[in-house]
Amino acid sequence: MTWELFVFMFLAASALVSALMVVRSREIMHSVVALATCFVSMACLYVMLNAEFVAIVQILVYVGAVVVVILFGIMLTKREIMESERR
Amino acid sequence: MNLYEFCNIIIVWLVDLVNNLWYWLGDFLPWVFGDFFTWAGDLAASDGHIAAMTILLEVLVVLIVAIVNVLNFIWLDRKLSGRIFDFYGPYYVGYRIGGWLQNIADGMKLFVKEIITPKDVDRLGFVLAPVIFVSSSFLILATIPLSPNFGVSTNMDGDFVAAGVLFAFAAFAIAPFSILLAGWSSNNKYTLIGGMRSAAQMMSYEIPLLLVVASVFLLSGDFSFVGVVDAQHDVWFAIPLFIGFIVFLVCIAAEVEVTPFDLPEAEAELVEGWTTEYCGMRFGFFMMTSYLRGYAGGALATALFLGGWQGPALIPDEIWFLIKAYCVFVVIEWMRWSVPRVRVDQILNLGWKRLMPLAMLNLVIAAALKTMGWF
């Protein structure tokens, strides 16, 4: 097993597990943290493909902007509806 | 000799030293470990291991330089605020060097304090937020070289990270996420309001900042620090892009949350903003990292607008870079201690209605200069 394969397996597992956590997590903020982890893992995978520019733009746009916009969306909307459905 | 070659020499010497010890141990204790020591020694002397260790050592050197600069900045900030408010600032600890040791004393105090995690916080976010904030801020400095010979490079030729300037701004852009996470997970209305304000402010000032950086890229035609600085050989970009330079300074001041824009930690309204629930070394890290971002902002302004490490050859390049970065920091601090805090609506109006059009105008000027063939 080469080092590249090892690093790739780690990053892919991180991306998959965090993507699963986005869906499965109870607390919606934890979903957002998992989403950011997923985006960063994808950026690292782009670096492994020698596409540094795409990786940097992935971090700049997705982690820097999209995740924060999603956070604003979560915090500015009502959460009682979801909490009543949970019980 | 660049930093990579220097670190490489040290690492090769260290590996030789350790390998001699291991081979000697292998001769001495063959019946216990077999040829384990020989195998481990060969592995340690392989090219990949030496390259990895060299880059790690480079990172360590750059980190130490950054931390010493941050200590200087905190000291300079306290002395300057003292002079502006007509008192002395720290002078008792380390009397002969102007109170410089006061920062070390404060750091020791924060180190020995108990780290309390309040009962009702969201543990994941509360523990993770400082980690993301501190690590992403240190990541900014990984790409900023102090001179073509002093920075984290990846091979013998001293090539730096591709698209280094963009990478620095990408690392800058991670912070609002961690701040919002810290504010929410502390389970306290002051921290939540502080986190929301901080994220809104950082998001809205990121756009003019990146537009100004785009105009610099347009003039220099390169994404790397070396390319951007070399393009300023004849004239600093602060002269043709004067508007952009001012917009950049204001945006950096808003990004690192110094006083005219320090609404997120407005201590009269919100206790300490989004850091209220943090104590001990976690708060110490937040504090240190905010100054670290100030240093990164000064270094970025230097590299993008003030000609980077270029200057008369009387002093080394690295010192030129640091002198310019310190000057930018002093200007920001001067603004910090002289101007009162603005209101939330004013800060967003300034960001969207004043700085955005100015940044666009700056981009148009840069495009015009480029088309006229002056750059």
Side-chain angles (χ1 to χ4, degrees):
Chain A
M1 197 156 88
T2 60
W3 280 103
E4 273 114 350
L5 187 64
F6 179 73
V7 173
F8 171 78
M9 299 261 278
F10 177 76
L11 289 175
S14 149
L16 283 177
V17 169
S18 54
L20 203 65
M21 271 174 66
V22 175
V23 190
R24 294 289 299 172
S25 173
R26 272 294 168 96
E27 189 72 59
I28 197 161
M29 278 293 282
H30 293 180
S31 301
V32 176
V33 176
L35 189 66
T37 316
C38 185
F39 285 150
V40 173
S41 314
M42 292 305 293
C44 296
L45 284 176
Y46 288 138
V47 172
M48 289 197 70
L49 293 172
N50 281 331
E52 285 96 355
F53 186 78
V54 185
I56 290 168
V57 172
Q58 166 99 2
I59 290 182
L60 192 62
V61 173
Y62 281 84
V63 183
V66 170
V67 165
V68 179
V69 169
I70 290 174
L71 276 177
F72 272 109
I74 290 168
M75 288 190 179
L76 296 177
T77 45
K78 273 193 172 181
R79 294 174 61 213
E80 286 85 16
I81 306 165
M82 293 176 53
E83 277 173 4
S84 63
E85 275 177 358
R86 191 190 293 168
R87 295 196 190 94
Chain B
M1 186 163 74
N2 59 30
L3 187 62
Y4 187 93
E5 292 170 14
F6 178 72
C7 293
N8 203 28
I9 290 169
I10 292 180
I11 287 292
V12 167
W13 180 74
L14 272 178
V15 164
D16 269 356
L17 196 73
V18 175
N19 270 3
N20 282 337
L21 185 71
W22 282 24
Y23 290 138
W24 179 77
L25 271 179
D27 289 343
F28 194 61
L29 308 161
W31 63 88
V32 186
F33 296 105
D35 40 0
F36 168 75
F37 284 115
T38 336
W39 173 78
D42 288 345
L43 185 70
S46 66
D47 284 349
H49 179 260
I50 285 182
M53 285 296 124
T54 308
I55 291 176
L56 271 184
L57 188 63
E58 274 185 311
V59 169
L60 195 67
V61 170
V62 169
L63 189 72
I64 288 169
V65 169
I67 286 177
V68 170
N69 274 319
V70 166
L71 286 178
N72 283 341
F73 271 12
I74 299 176
W75 172 78
L76 195 62
D77 175 31
R78 297 169 95 171
K79 279 305 227 192
L80 263 178
S81 71
R83 287 299 167 183
I84 289 172
F85 292 154
D86 203 12
F87 61 89
Y88 279 115
Y91 69 95
Y92 191 77
V93 188
Y95 186 77
R96 293 186 193 285
I97 45 177
W100 193 86
L101 291 178
Q102 183 67 49
N103 298 322
I104 314 268
D106 288 351
M108 293 291 278
K109 177 200 143 207
L110 284 174
F111 256 119
V112 299
K113 277 178 101 170
E114 184 188 359
I115 295 178
I116 302 169
T117 308
K119 186 163 69 71
D120 285 336
V121 299
D122 180 69
R123 288 195 68 97
L124 176 79
F126 194 77
V127 175
L128 208 57
V131 177
I132 299 176
F133 188 64
V134 173
S135 55
S136 70
S137 301
F138 272 103
L139 208 55
I140 306 169
L141 291 168
T143 57
I144 302 180
L146 297 190
S147 81
N149 294 325
F150 195 95
V152 181
S153 54
T154 48
N155 55 19
M156 277 291 184
D157 302 332
D159 291 336
F160 295 119
V161 182
V165 184
L166 263 189
F167 188 87
F169 282 99
F172 235 95
I174 298 178
F177 166 60
S178 64
I179 288 172
L180 206 45
L181 191 63
W184 176 81
S185 61
S186 296
N187 204 3
N188 176 338
K189 50 188 141 179
Y190 298 118
T191 60
L192 184 59
I193 295 173
M196 290 294 268
R197 281 182 178 184
S198 176
Q201 173 184 325
M202 281 190 170
M203 287 285 286
S204 50
Y205 278 76
E206 198 103 310
I207 301 163
L209 187 72
L210 286 176
L211 277 175
V212 170
V213 175
S215 69
V216 170
F217 287 153
L218 195 62
L219 286 196
S220 67
D222 201 339
F223 281 140
S224 68
F225 276 100
V226 178
V228 167
V229 172
D230 282 347
Q232 305 176 51
H233 184 69
D234 299 327
V235 57
W236 293 358
F237 284 161
I239 294 163
L241 300 179
F242 182 71
I243 304 171
F245 184 54
I246 301 295
V247 171
F248 189 86
L249 278 190
V250 173
C251 289
I252 282 290
E255 287 278 320
V256 302
E257 293 173 0
V258 299
T259 283
F261 308 108
D262 79 333
L263 286 161
E265 34 198 78
E267 60 267 22
E269 323 157 21
L270 318 168
V271 183
E272 190 53 43
W274 49 276
T275 54
T276 303
E277 296 287 345
Y278 286 92
C279 64
M281 206 50 214
R282 281 183 191 151
F283 176 73
F285 272 131
F286 275 136
M287 197 62 191
M288 188 192 72
T289 309
S290 65
Y291 281 97
L292 186 94
R293 293 170 73 81
Y295 167 53
L300 285 172
T302 306
L304 297 186
F305 288 100
L306 296 181
W309 46 80
Q310 287 171 359
L314 291 172
I315 357 180
D317 289 354
E318 294 84 1
I319 308 292
W320 267 121
F321 192 92
L322 285 180
I323 287 174
K324 289 174 184 172
Y326 275 58
C327 289
V328 173
F329 184 76
V330 165
V331 169
I332 289 177
E333 289 300 320
W334 186 9
M335 187 168 79
R336 172 182 194 167
W337 297 115
S338 337
V339 184
R341 183 180 298 139
V342 295
R343 286 198 316 265
V344 178
D345 55 335
Q346 287 170 336
I347 201 169
L348 291 180
N349 275 343
L350 180 69
W352 290 103
K353 292 184 185 165
R354 305 284 193 286
L355 295 184
M356 264 292 268
L358 280 178
M360 295 299 261
L361 178 68
N362 180 59
L363 196 58
V364 171
I365 291 174
L369 287 175
K370 188 80 178 173
T371 350
M372 286 191 287
W374 288 6
F375 281 95

